[in-house]
Amino acid sequence: MTERKRRVAYFYDPDVGQYYYGQGHPMKPHRVRMTHSLIMHSGIYNHMDMYVPSKASKEDMCEFHTEDYIEVLENAGADSVQINKQVLGEYNLLDDCPVFDGLFSYNQMASGGTLGCAVKLNQKSHDITINWSGGLHHGKKSEASGFCYVNDIVLGILELLKHHERVLYIDIDVHHGDGVEEAFLTTDRVLTCSFHKFDGAFFPGTGSLENVGHSIGKYYSVNVPLKDGVKDESFEFLFKPIVDRILAIYKPECIVCQCGADSLAHDRLGVFNLSSKGHASCVEYIKSFNIPLMLLGGGGYTIKNVARCWATETAIAVGESLDDHLPLSDYLEYYSPEYEADVFSDPSRKDKNDEAYIQKVLERIMRNLSFIKAPSTGFEARRPDTPDTLVPLLQEEEDGHPVISSPNRPRKQMWKHE
Ligand SMILES: [Zn+2]
């Protein structure tokens, strides 16, 4: 039986590559432009609808964030406004999360794409929606964190909740999806499931096995803490049964997957050892259940590998595959000398997740999952949908102790200047 083709909507703003966090900063929006170039030159774009996202408004952002924080973000990025360091510090707009030119419009674009993804899934016009500029999972209600300012994922899920009773969030970034988990810690309408490195010290420091959610949301936060060097086999050994069990019991009406590519081998900041095939097989597995799906970006700091990974995952979404050798693209020199589409694991790295550890994690999570069900709580008085004002992208343009944000919580840095 041939698999039914999915209707895919892809969001891309041609300006994304022009935003720049500053010299030496590992977060490079240019990687999304590189991904797009591979998608265009490999012909994958022929199999999906492409849109330029509408920019998210301040009101959109304040569905989750505080007004004072969003106002500071807007003003901090404007040339004419000088904001003193103390104020910037209050909102963590220093170091990891610097103020840069166009900061606010960059966030409007990233959040606008994710809102567009949610609108399309709500309208049921598409089965899979993609925004590689989104997935900024560390953003908090009133502060920036880990290179993230506005939490587009939370905004997108809130939009989905206007039409879907239960949303499953899956996060395969090497870092804990703390901002999203925290936003939905006390509800059972969103189940968050994050696979990440955890030792208490690695950024952001949260996401232990004991961290399961609160009150009505207890057991609806699933954390899969892993050690250095995770390879495809051990990741898959946990990923498939956990996702399987969640889908069987929780019966989500749609899924949001944060595809952070810093869990790949050779990442500048990551400590895992996944191949791009292993990473993409997670997306393929989720897709196989045929539940409306949103794919978002996230971390990823060896940018040539990020582009390889997300182009591969776009191909999977539309039911195609990338050739083993990359097509001619605008940034071909990045992929020299092999020009291969795949990212390979490093065979010399030890996977510190031994069988006993993996088994222990799996058993504990399966036990926790036995306490969840598929709640049917009905919709609250529904707020109006975010309007669909999308513009198609023209092909010619190609090119155990939950932590709640509080001012007193010590902040961690994700990256230090070398
Ligand atoms: Zn990350």
Side-chain angles (χ1 to χ4, degrees), residues 224-398:
V224 188
L226 295 163
K227 302 179 187 183
D228 285 9
V230 181
K231 285 193 176 139
D232 296 348
E233 297 73 28
S234 35
F235 199 86
E236 192 179 316
F237 190 84
L238 286 166
F239 186 84
K240 287 191 173 173
I242 290 171
V243 169
D244 251 2
R245 182 69 62 91
I246 291 172
L247 292 177
I249 308 177
Y250 189 64
K251 299 183 175 59
E253 294 183 326
C254 60
I255 302 175
V256 175
C257 184
Q258 196 268 22
C259 305
D262 49 9
S263 44
L264 289 174
H266 317 289
D267 188 76
R268 181 174 162 191
L269 300 185
V271 292
F272 284 177
N273 196 14
L274 296 182
S275 73
S276 55
K277 279 207 165 78
H279 196 275
S281 73
C282 297
V283 172
E284 199 159 22
Y285 192 65
I286 297 169
K287 182 197 166 196
S288 72
F289 292 91
N290 208 3
I291 296 169
L293 172 63
M294 187 191 301
L295 298 177
L296 301 173
Y301 307 102
T302 300
I303 61 173
K304 61 183 180 183
N305 292 343
V306 178
R308 287 170 156 127
C309 179
W310 291 346
T312 301
E313 289 169 0
T314 309
I316 285 173
V318 302
E320 298 286 319
S321 56
L322 273 188
D323 289 338
D324 290 346
H325 283 86
L326 291 171
L328 283 173
S329 73
D330 303 320
Y331 309 102
L332 197 64
E333 68 278 9
Y334 281 85
Y335 311 107
S336 147
E338 305 292 349
Y339 305 101
E340 283 170 315
D342 288 334
V343 180
F344 299 95
S345 310
D346 176 352
S348 67
R349 280 202 69 193
K350 186 174 159 46
D351 186 343
K352 294 195 175 160
N353 301 271
D354 60 26
E355 223 182 300
Y357 178 73
I358 298 237
Q359 207 59 48
K360 184 195 93 179
V361 169
L362 187 60
E363 275 167 25
R364 180 71 179 274
I365 288 174
M366 289 302 183
R367 201 179 71 210
N368 287 346
L369 288 176
S370 69
F371 299 116
I372 68 164
K373 51 186 193 295
S376 184
T377 48
F379 298 100
E380 300 131 33
R382 204 200 271 170
R383 283 162 303 140
D385 290 345
T386 295
D388 180 357
T389 52
L390 299 168
V391 186
L393 176 64
L394 298 175
Q395 286 170 21
E396 299 84 74
E397 283 186 85
E398 173 243 326

Side-chain angles (χ1 to χ4, degrees), residues 16-235:
V16 64
Q18 289 163 25
Y19 295 102
Y20 185 58
Y21 275 61
Q23 202 179 6
H25 197 290
M27 179 56 120
K28 302 198 185 303
H30 174 56
R31 67 210 175 120
V32 177
R33 180 161 61 185
M34 291 170 64
T35 304
H36 183 71
S37 185
L38 290 177
I39 288 168
M40 296 308 291
H41 287 274
S42 60
I44 296 167
Y45 73 92
N46 281 313
H47 304 274
M48 58 192 190
D49 296 324
M50 298 196 291
Y51 300 96
V52 180
S54 314
K55 292 226 186 304
S57 65
K58 267 163 75 173
E59 292 69 37
D60 292 333
M61 295 174 179
C62 291
E63 291 288 330
F64 171 56
H65 295 283
T66 57
E67 268 174 54
D68 56 327
Y69 171 51
I70 295 302
E71 217 142 82
V72 168
L73 270 188
E74 186 181 28
N75 291 329
D79 290 347
S80 52
V81 184
Q82 291 290 328
I83 298 183
N84 74 44
K85 269 209 151 182
Q86 194 194 332
V87 174
L88 294 178
E90 278 170 30
Y91 297 96
N92 201 26
L93 295 168
L94 303 163
D95 307 316
D96 265 4
C97 306
V99 171
F100 58 85
D101 275 355
L103 167 67
F104 191 65
S105 68
Y106 166 72
N107 278 283
Q108 286 186 295
M109 177 208 68
S111 291
T114 301
L115 280 172
C117 285
V119 167
K120 290 293 182 195
L121 292 181
N122 282 349
Q123 290 174 344
K124 306 199 187 314
S125 61
H126 294 79
D127 308 300
I128 301 177
T129 57
I130 303 174
N131 177 28
W132 296 128
S133 298
L136 304 169
H137 60 170
H138 298 304
K140 301 287 159 55
K141 194 180 176 73
S142 62
E143 68 180 52
S145 176
F147 316 162
C148 306
Y149 305 81
V150 176
N151 197 316
D152 62 291
I153 310 172
V154 173
L155 301 181
I157 293 176
L158 289 173
E159 187 70 22
L160 289 171
L161 288 173
K162 295 175 182 173
H163 288 259
H164 301 85
E165 280 202 285
R166 293 174 303 282
V167 178
L168 168 60
Y169 171 71
I170 299 175
D171 187 318
I172 57 171
D173 191 285
V174 73
H175 301 100
H176 177 222
D178 59 341
V180 184
E181 179 184 278
E182 186 176 305
F184 300 111
L185 203 63
T186 57
T187 178
D188 54 7
R189 287 192 61 199
V190 180
L191 188 153
T192 60
C193 177
S194 177
F195 298 78
H196 49 263
K197 153 84 180 184
F198 177 80
D199 61 5
F202 191 74
F203 186 88
T206 48
S208 72
L209 264 179
E210 289 71 37
N211 191 184
V212 295
H214 267 318
S215 72
I216 300 168
K218 189 169 182 188
Y219 299 118
Y220 293 84
S221 298
V222 177
N223 281 296
V224 188
L226 295 163
K227 302 179 187 183
D228 285 9
V230 181
K231 285 193 176 139
D232 296 348
E233 297 73 28
S234 35
F235 199 86

